[in-house]
Amino acid sequence: MLIHRCPWCGERLPFSSTSHNQYKNGSLRCPKCNNICVAYSKKSQGNGRNRTKISKIILILMLFLWIPFRAPFSIVKWWQNPFLCITVYLFFGITLLWIWYIPYDRDTAQKNQKEQIRPETYKAHVFISWESHKNEGFLCPKLQVPNGEIFPACFMDVNGQPISTALCVVLENIHWENPRRCTCTIQIVLDTVSSKNLFQKGNMFNLYHNYRLIAKGTLQ
């Protein structure tokens, strides 16, 4: 399970719904910076909010699948149809994962209000190679890393010398060459951090998740 981070400050977002201080349409307030986050929904990357709504509809419809198994209907005996039960539970689990894997983006209304004081942001095109699962990387990054996900990154110059502390970056416009190699754009989450010196062609960076090295990248 990915640990989602705040698109405003980069801090971890707690998984608990009570800690989330949930709002309508899947939005939440970051307990660290107090800004509102919403499901990642850039049109070019798939609409996260629509995905959440569709998933909720699917979960509600699945409840009706149990009608034939329950009194007073009891048309079908569940122990006589184990394959059907396994299928329903599996579909239920996949649907929940589909919802939970949606990362968060800045609330559009709040973003527009702050855009006037936000410095000009800079995105960089990068190539990323993901670590293998035996080296504590993701089992299948192509399926586990959606557009809009945020990871801590440490940058290095062309000689491999560190030039930054850990900074959270958001990955967008991901194009996979194979299950463990991709190109994408990255952007530093914090508005107060300048990317001018970091986003130089040939510079390198490492991505981390839960204090583990999961990928290495190069700026193109």
Side-chain angles (χ1 to χ4, degrees), residues 75-131:
I75 301 172
V76 181
K77 302 297 183 181
W78 64 268
W79 58 85
Q80 295 176 347
N81 294 271
F83 179 75
L84 179 59
C85 292
I86 292 174
T87 301
V88 172
Y89 275 115
L90 184 62
F91 192 71
F92 179 78
I94 292 174
T95 304
L96 288 179
L97 287 175
W98 197 35
I99 298 174
W100 289 333
Y101 267 107
I102 300 174
Y104 290 96
D105 197 1
R106 297 186 175 190
D107 177 61
T108 304
Q110 190 172 3
K111 180 178 178 180
N112 289 339
Q113 293 174 2
K114 293 194 173 186
E115 198 70 33
Q116 297 177 356
I117 60 173
R118 182 178 181 178
E120 182 179 356
T121 56
Y122 183 72
K123 294 184 179 182
H125 293 273
V126 301
F127 169 80
I128 298 178
S129 177
W130 298 85
E131 292 290 318

Side-chain angles (χ1 to χ4, degrees), residues 148-166:
E149 197 59 76
I150 297 171
F151 296 106
C154 290
F155 288 85
M156 298 160 284
D157 62 20
V158 293
N159 298 315
Q161 297 299 315
I163 55 175
S164 78
T165 56

